[in-house]
Amino acid sequence: MDDLNAGVAVITGGGSGLGRELALQCAAAGMRLALADVDDTGLQQTLSMLPEGTEAMTRRVDVSKPEAVEALAADTYQRYGAVHLLFNNAGVAASGPTWTTTADDWNWVLGVNLMGVVHGVQSFVPRMLEGGEPGRIINTASLAGLSSVPGSSVYCVSKHGVVTLSECLHHELKTMRAQLGVSVLCPAFFKTGIAESERNRPSELANANPLGEEYAQFVKAAIEAGRLSATDIARITLEAVVADRFYILPHGGAVKQVETRMRDILELRDPTNPMPGAA
């Protein structure tokens, strides 16, 4: 994927944050876009920001619903006939101690963060394989998918799942010598709207962790303090796609944090708290 011009990029969570920045940079590279989100207003705002002449379609899609993602895939292939970059990017977050998490917390976060990726893979990868063109699947995980953050067990479980799913998919595609590559994106805190993801939480899954607010405030503060922007993360991601790189860790301290966790495991010692200042 060293030439993105005229290719087709599918981006879930394209109505804000990283998804929007990926859309802008893919469009700047000459790609055609299929953007999905549950936020119609956000999608229209993204459309209005694209370079003049960009070919783009938008769909309201709840990625936790397999039929919605399947419809997105069908519509995308009907319009463009191919997909070259699949960004399984939509994500939400919930905070609080593990013992007070609710079933709704788990169903909502895993439904979007993990099953959204599963549905993207199941609906698009068979079509991409059949098309026989070079392409790449980029799954948005998090540094929380390579570490264990207090007060974020629901989120961490979902993102650890995305990492191992991506690794399995990489091995499978390599074994069959497919022209499809895989990347897993694992950023630390950066300025995005995920701390406000409760705004899109379904009413039927509204029973949230009663002790979540203190942890959520810590996350919001960490996001605001982030040195990298969504624009930076999108740029680094596309550079990694062109370079055919699997692990994408945009933040400088991420590798050290992962190394510490690996040492904990290899030396059979207690896990090191990656966020000692957390609530």
Side-chain angles (χ1 to χ4, degrees):
M1 296 303 300
D2 54 352
D3 184 10
L4 303 181
N5 186 48
V8 178
V10 176
I11 305 170
T12 66
S16 64
L18 177 59
R20 175 174 291 168
E21 292 299 327
L22 288 168
L24 293 173
Q25 295 191 32
C26 285
M31 300 194 78
R32 295 166 288 168
L33 306 178
L35 306 178
D37 206 301
V38 293
D39 183 357
D40 286 318
T41 300
L43 283 173
Q44 293 308 308
Q45 291 173 344
T46 299
L47 275 183
S48 70
M49 298 168 69
L50 296 175
E52 186 175 353
T54 300
E55 187 175 355
M57 57 176 273
T58 63
R59 294 290 184 273
R60 188 185 187 283
V61 176
D62 178 351
V63 297
S64 72
K65 310 297 184 186
E67 65 275 10
V69 180
E70 177 63 22
L72 172 66
D75 289 350
T76 302
Y77 270 83
Q78 182 176 20
R79 175 158 179 173
Y80 296 128
V83 169
H84 302 94
L85 297 184
L86 170 62
F87 292 93
N88 290 310
N89 171 72
V92 296
S95 300
T98 303
W99 58 90
T100 54
T101 56
T102 68
D104 286 358
D105 288 333
W106 289 99
N107 288 329
W108 178 48
V109 176
L110 267 65
V112 175
N113 293 3
L114 179 55
M115 294 310 298
V117 177
V118 172
H119 299 150
V121 169
Q122 290 179 332
S123 290
F124 281 93
V125 170
R127 290 176 165 94
M128 295 170 77
L129 287 170
E130 184 178 358
E133 297 184 31
R136 198 164 193 87
I137 301 96
I138 304 95
N139 297 327
T140 298
S142 167
L143 187 53
L146 298 169
S147 61
S148 301
V149 182
S152 297
S153 61
V154 181
Y155 185 74
C156 287
V157 167
S158 73
K159 295 302 188 178
H160 275 256
V162 172
V163 171
T164 193
L165 181 155
S166 303
E167 292 170 341
C168 290
L169 181 62
H170 165 83
H171 298 320
E172 293 157 0
L173 293 172
K174 284 290 186 183
T175 298
M176 66 183 295
R177 293 182 171 83
Q179 293 197 76
L180 300 182
V182 182
S183 294
V184 62
L185 172 60
C186 298
F189 293 112
F190 67 100
K191 293 181 180 179
T192 183
I194 195 166
E196 283 76 46
S197 55
E198 288 280 347
R199 71 189 187 281
N200 292 320
R201 185 164 177 155
S203 58
E204 66 271 19
L205 298 176
N207 184 25
N209 194 321
L211 301 181
E213 186 57 31
E214 184 178 358
Y215 291 86
Q217 289 303 318
F218 177 86
V219 171
K220 289 178 182 178
I223 288 172
E224 285 301 312
R227 294 184 179 182
L228 294 183
S229 67
T231 302
D232 296 325
I233 303 297
R235 172 182 53 79
I236 292 167
T237 300
L238 287 184
E239 290 172 352
V241 166
V242 172
D244 194 29
R245 192 160 71 245
F246 179 83
Y247 294 107
I248 309 175
L249 279 70
H251 290 81
V255 172
K256 180 63 177 177
Q257 186 168 311
V258 174
E259 181 182 6
T260 298
R261 180 171 183 264
M262 291 298 100
R263 289 292 177 190
D264 291 341
I265 295 170
L266 293 172
E267 297 177 19
L268 304 180
R269 64 194 188 195
D270 287 348
T272 302
N273 186 346
M275 302 291 291

